[in-house]
């Protein structure tokens, strides 16, 4: 007999499997539609229930109120999460029920253990339902009640069956804990301290390491991200997020302060698909931005900090460890890797003839807004650059920076006193150097220079000219770049001189060891010091002062 003539059982035919799969899909879709049609979704911090679609839901704080057509002015029920462990007999108090439950029974037929209670209030009967033993508390309970006159038992059961408990992850972080102080943080943490004038950043490399890890490894890893705000002498926690990588996916937990003062988070962490480190060159800012697995969610800024170019270039900088002052190429390469915010390096010179060996660097100002702070040269960038150079150029004793008309001189002894170490040792290991560049980035107005002068004219002698001028907001001056007449007010505001508008400014010119030195002051505050090379410059300065009424 021919094999083709033998009839196969119906369940072995391909057509049977196609029909069967189609039926299964149809059943699944049918069940889904039957479950979800005519329903409205309520999401309380990740805990979800479905209520009839003709109900209206109003959220007020932590409480959801339900309204139906039969009683549009009075709630037919309410629901809420309870973050305090509560005895069964006290569930009703969360809805201001005055009576005790007339009946109470427990069941385990739903997503979590349930207590069902009957209350008699104001001649009406209510059924209260409390889910307890919720995973990873708080919350400890999900409680709701319905007015039995308007909500039938069958409707209530459908609502109870629809409860979805959020997935808090395989290894959720601790809850209901005190805020840690910055000095309590270490590995697996990154934090910033924001004050009015500057921002300190600590352990940025930990966040970079975490990003690298989740991209290449299947081992679990965690990191916490903190933001503190400086208010007077106190530090206030301003933000706290925790990232947990299971080896397969990354979840983000966002902490908030509870009424008791401790910190907790909701049990609905979002899954992160990517963390990107973005550099805003124009504003000198680094942003860590997260994208979510849920494509409907917009990207969020996870962490925003001042750009640390030393950190970003640390691997390249380390290749020049042990550089000698005489190595013109290596010194130039180091300078190329250093930030020059608002400045342009024009040249550098190396003194290798005899000790002390020095490096002299010349800069022009190309952006006054970035280079100046409160009307004066912001020297912190120069301080930081000097600290990095001393760590890499082994035999550098002195670094001189000529910035426009100012000269800043740094000596190795003073820098090493600031860091209480031979800074060359930091460049011997990548981890030590990472720690060092973080310390350098956090330097702030430490007065590390040996002197801050206006060329060699800092030694003053006799007064050769003295006058006083008063400049108003609308006083016109010639813009040094465009040559156009502009009002001085906006520039005074930008550079921190607004407080001196409309007040007498003392203008004094002294004889100096080389030329002259002009000093402008107001109310005891020195606003400007400027060197005048010769008689022509002196006369030009006097003419300018006269032009403004001096």
């Amino acid at each position: 007999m021919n094999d083709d003539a033998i009839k196969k059982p119906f369940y072995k035919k391909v057509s049977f499997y196609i029909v069967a799969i189609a039926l299964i899909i149809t059943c699944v879709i049918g069940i889904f539609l039957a479950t979800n049609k005519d329903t409205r979704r309520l999401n309380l911090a990740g805990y979800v229930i479905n209520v009839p679609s003709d109900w209206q839901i109003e959220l007020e704080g932590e409480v959801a109120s339900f309204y139906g057509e039969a009683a549009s002015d009075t709630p037919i029920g309410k629901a809420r999460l309870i973050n305090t462990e509560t005895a069964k007999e006290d569930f009703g108090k969360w809805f201001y029920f005055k009576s005790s439950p007339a009946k109470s029974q427990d069941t385990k037929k739903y997503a979590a253990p349930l207590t069902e209670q009957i209350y008699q209030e104001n001649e009406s009967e209510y059924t209260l339902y409390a889910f307890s033993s919720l995973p990873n508390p708080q919350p400890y309970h999900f409680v709701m009640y319905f007015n039995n006159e308007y909500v039938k038992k069958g409707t209530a059961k459908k609502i109870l069956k629809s409860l979805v408990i959020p997935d808090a992850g395989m290894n959720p972080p601790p809850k209901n804990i005190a805020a840690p102080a910055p000095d309590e943080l270490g590995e697996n943490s990154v934090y910033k301290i924001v004050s009015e004038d500057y921002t300190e950043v600590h352990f940025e490399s930990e966040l970079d390491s975490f990003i690298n890890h989740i991209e290449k490894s299947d081992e679990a890893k965690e990191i916490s991200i903190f933001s503190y705000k400086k208010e007077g002498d106190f530090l206030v926690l301003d933000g706290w997020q925790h990232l947990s990588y299971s080896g397969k996916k990354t979840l983000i937990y966002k902490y908030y302060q509870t009424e008791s003062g401790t910190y907790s988070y909701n049990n609905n962490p979002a899954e992160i698909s990517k963390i990107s480190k973005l550099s805003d060159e124009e504003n000198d800012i680094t942003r860590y931005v997260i994208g979510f697995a849920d494509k409907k969610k917009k990207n969020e800024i996870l962490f925003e900090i001042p750009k640390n170019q030393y950190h970003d270039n640390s691997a390249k900088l380390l290749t020049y460890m042990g550089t000698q002052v005489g190595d013109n190429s290596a010194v130039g390469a180091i300078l190329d890797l250093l930030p020059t915010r608002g400045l342009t390096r024009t040249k550098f010179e190396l003194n290798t003839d005899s000790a002390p060996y020095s490096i002299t660097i010349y800069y022009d100002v190309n952006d006054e807004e970035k280079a100046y702070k409160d009307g004066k040269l912001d020297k912190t960038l120069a301080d930081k650059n000097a600290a990095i150079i001393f760590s890499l150029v082994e035999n550098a004793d002195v670094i001189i920076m000529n910035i426009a008309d100012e000269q800043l001189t740094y000596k190795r002894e003073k820098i090493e006193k600031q860091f209480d170490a031979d800074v060359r040792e930091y460049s011997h290991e990548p981890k030590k150097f990472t720690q060092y560049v973080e310390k350098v980035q956090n330097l702030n107005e430490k007065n590390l220079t040996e002197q801050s002068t206006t060329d060699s004219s800092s030694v003053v002698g006799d007064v050769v000219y003295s006058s006083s001028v008063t400049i108003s907001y609308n006083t016109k001056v010639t813009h040094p770049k465009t040559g156009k007449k502009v009002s001085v007010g906006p520039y005074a505001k930008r550079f921190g001189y607004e407080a001196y508008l409309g007040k007498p400014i003392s203008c004094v010119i002294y004889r100096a060891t080389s030329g002259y030195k002009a000093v402008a002051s107001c109310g005891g505050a020195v606003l400007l010091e400027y060197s005048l090379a010769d008689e022509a410059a002196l006369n030009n300065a006097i003419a300018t002062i006269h032009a403004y009424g001096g």
Side-chain angles (χ1 to χ4, degrees), residues 20-35:
I21 291 170
L23 285 171
I24 292 171
I25 293 173
T26 302
C27 289
V28 170
I29 293 174
I31 292 170
F32 176 81
L33 291 174
T35 304

Side-chain angles (χ1 to χ4, degrees), residues 139-209:
Y140 289 91
H141 313 280
F142 185 1
V143 184
M144 65 192 86
Y145 78 82
F146 302 113
N147 186 322
N148 292 344
E149 182 180 350
Y150 303 107
V151 182
K152 303 305 179 187
K153 192 81 170 179
T155 300
K157 284 187 175 181
K158 287 181 180 178
I159 295 172
L160 297 175
K161 287 180 180 179
S162 72
L163 173 67
V164 176
I165 296 175
D167 179 9
M170 294 177 59
N171 187 29
K175 278 185 162 189
N176 305 315
I177 55 178
D183 57 7
E184 297 173 340
L185 304 175
E187 290 187 1
N188 301 322
S189 301
V190 57
Y191 70 92
K192 64 180 179 181
I193 299 175
V194 181
S195 65
E196 186 176 346
D197 298 322
Y198 65 95
T199 299
E200 286 185 19
V201 182
H202 298 266
F203 309 127
E204 180 184 355
S205 59
E206 290 289 329
L207 184 52
D208 289 339
S209 175

